[in-house]
Amino acid sequence: IRNLEIFTVKKGLIFSLILVIFIIGFRASVPILASFAVKVTPQSLEKMIGRNAFETLEDNLLLPSDLPQWKIDAIKQRSKPILENSNVEIKFKKSDFFGANAIAFPGGPILITDDLVQLLGNEDLIVGVVAHEIAHIKLRHSLKLIYNTIGAGVLATIVFGSNESVLEEISALGINAWAMSLSRKAEIEADLAATEILNESSIDPRLILDALRTLVDKTCEGTDLEADCGDSADW
């Protein structure tokens, strides 16, 4: 130990190399470990996590829906073919915090906000959104993101420590950026899986594309991006 405490350039390089190898190895193993954790996690536990997360949001950020009951019933009825084998429930809520949004909680339920329904207008387009969210649940994307984020957080704590510091802030930004990249990948996977879900239910899979086009067009209205993203030819 006394010999190791004596600094030399050689020892510094060796220890630095060991640390780099450890970080790279741990970083590479996080997605593998996360996928394994998802596989061994019982679906009952996943559903409990999703239900608790929804109830927490419901108590703090969600309000009762202002949508007419006939509108809610129409959306549920049109979504029935893709919901009947999934045992997933749709929850309609009003939320100033989430705006026009749809969220799939681990194992369900699916949250659809009033703003999203009003923005899309057409019930068929909302069915496309529901298929996308069901794909997230079937592929267990939320649970994967949770485990990946936890693993990355553990790695950051090991390397930078748990004390408040600039390095900790930097590591937090890195984890957020990585989580966003995982989220973008999950969105693409969900879009592709949703087309299969709609096909299996004899529903036109182009509903997903139509819903995305409508969301983009209406989001861009009145902004500097309107001229660029409003051109449907690129779709």
Side-chain angles (χ1 to χ4, degrees):
I1 293 175
R2 192 160 45 245
N3 183 51
L4 290 173
E5 288 177 341
I6 301 173
F7 176 79
T8 65
V9 174
K10 181 180 179 180
K11 290 177 185 176
L13 291 174
I14 291 174
F15 285 133
S16 298
L17 180 60
I18 292 173
L19 179 61
V20 169
I21 292 174
F22 170 79
I23 293 173
I24 293 174
F26 195 97
R27 166 62 182 82
S29 66
V30 165
I32 298 173
L33 293 173
S35 297
F36 175 76
V38 169
K39 289 181 181 179
V40 299
T41 299
Q43 290 193 343
S44 58
L45 176 59
E46 183 180 9
K47 286 181 177 292
M48 184 184 72
I49 293 172
R51 185 172 61 252
N52 290 341
F54 173 78
E55 290 174 355
T56 299
L57 289 181
E58 187 176 29
D59 292 339
N60 296 280
L61 298 173
L62 304 178
L63 297 170
S65 175
D66 287 337
L67 296 173
Q69 190 59 45
W70 67 265
K71 187 78 168 179
I72 293 175
D73 292 340
I75 295 171
K76 288 185 176 180
Q77 183 62 34
R78 298 194 185 203
S79 302
K80 195 172 181 179
I82 59 178
L83 286 171
E84 57 185 0
N85 295 323
S86 63
N87 196 28
V88 173
E89 186 179 1
I90 303 176
K91 301 282 189 179
F92 294 88
K93 294 290 180 180
K94 180 180 178 181
S95 176
D96 295 331
F97 181 81
F98 289 110
N101 215 328
I103 301 173
F105 292 85
I110 294 171
L111 166 65
I112 295 180
T113 66
D114 288 6
D115 286 344
L116 180 66
V117 176
Q118 293 164 0
L119 186 66
L120 291 178
N122 190 319
E123 288 89 353
D124 288 336
L125 297 184
I126 299 169
V127 172
V129 173
V130 172
H132 175 90
E133 300 305 325
I134 289 176
H136 276 309
I137 293 173
K138 287 188 173 183
L139 296 172
R140 309 182 83 176
H141 281 155
S142 296
L143 200 60
K144 287 180 182 177
L145 183 60
I146 290 171
Y147 285 141
N148 273 292
T149 304
I150 290 174
V154 170
L155 174 60
T157 300
I158 292 173
V159 176
F160 300 117
S162 58
N163 295 326
E164 295 290 337
S165 65
V166 175
L167 288 177
E168 186 180 6
E169 294 299 324
I170 293 174
S171 66
L173 289 173
I175 292 172
N176 289 337
W178 184 43
M180 288 178 65
S181 69
L182 293 175
S183 180
R184 285 194 297 270
K185 180 181 177 182
E187 292 300 323
I188 295 172
E189 291 178 351
D191 284 337
L192 295 175
T195 59
E196 296 179 7
I197 292 172
L198 291 171
N199 269 325
E200 291 170 358
S201 302
S202 300
I203 299 175
D204 189 352
R206 288 177 296 181
L207 286 177
I208 298 173
L209 180 61
D210 293 340
L212 288 173
R213 183 188 293 115
T214 302
L215 285 171
V216 170
D217 288 347
K218 292 191 175 183
T219 301
C220 290
E221 284 180 2
T223 69
D224 295 337
L225 298 174
E226 185 172 5
D228 295 325
C229 62
D231 187 1
S232 60
D234 294 335
W235 295 83

